[in-house]
Amino acid sequence: MKLNLLYFAWVRERIGLDGETRDLAAATVGEALAALSALGDGYAFAFAEPHRLRFALDQDFVDTDAALREGAELAIFPPVTGG
């Protein structure tokens, strides 16, 4: 399944990309994370603790069990805190 992936903050820094298009064998966000983690050390490091991440699928916040669709945009980012 082809996905448009966007990475933000320390996720982007660990992977070294702000975004990419990938063809992944994944039906859910969690499966996409597992497939991405297998691509290399930077990906594995970025997604080692998925509970520390937030996800937006076509600009709607979702959990890791959200179903993917062909051509979807999946944004992956850490939660934002402020003071």
Side-chain angles (χ1 to χ4, degrees):
M1 174 176 309
K2 188 170 285 190
L3 297 172
N4 298 310
L5 302 159
L6 301 174
Y7 309 120
F8 296 93
W10 55 257
V11 175
R12 177 183 58 220
E13 293 168 8
R14 291 176 181 181
I15 294 172
L17 298 170
D18 58 2
E20 62 184 326
T21 299
R22 287 265 181 190
D23 195 1
L24 300 172
T28 66
V29 171
E31 290 177 11
L33 292 180
L36 288 166
S37 293
L39 295 176
D41 291 343
Y43 290 93
F45 185 41
F47 305 131
E49 299 177 272
H51 64 279
R52 295 184 59 207
L53 297 170
R54 298 295 178 262
F55 311 97
L57 189 60
D58 291 329
Q59 301 184 11
D60 289 323
F61 288 105
V62 296
D63 292 321
T64 55
D65 61 350
L68 301 172
R69 65 166 184 74
E70 180 72 26
E73 177 188 270
L74 176 61
I76 305 171
F77 47 93
V80 177
T81 60

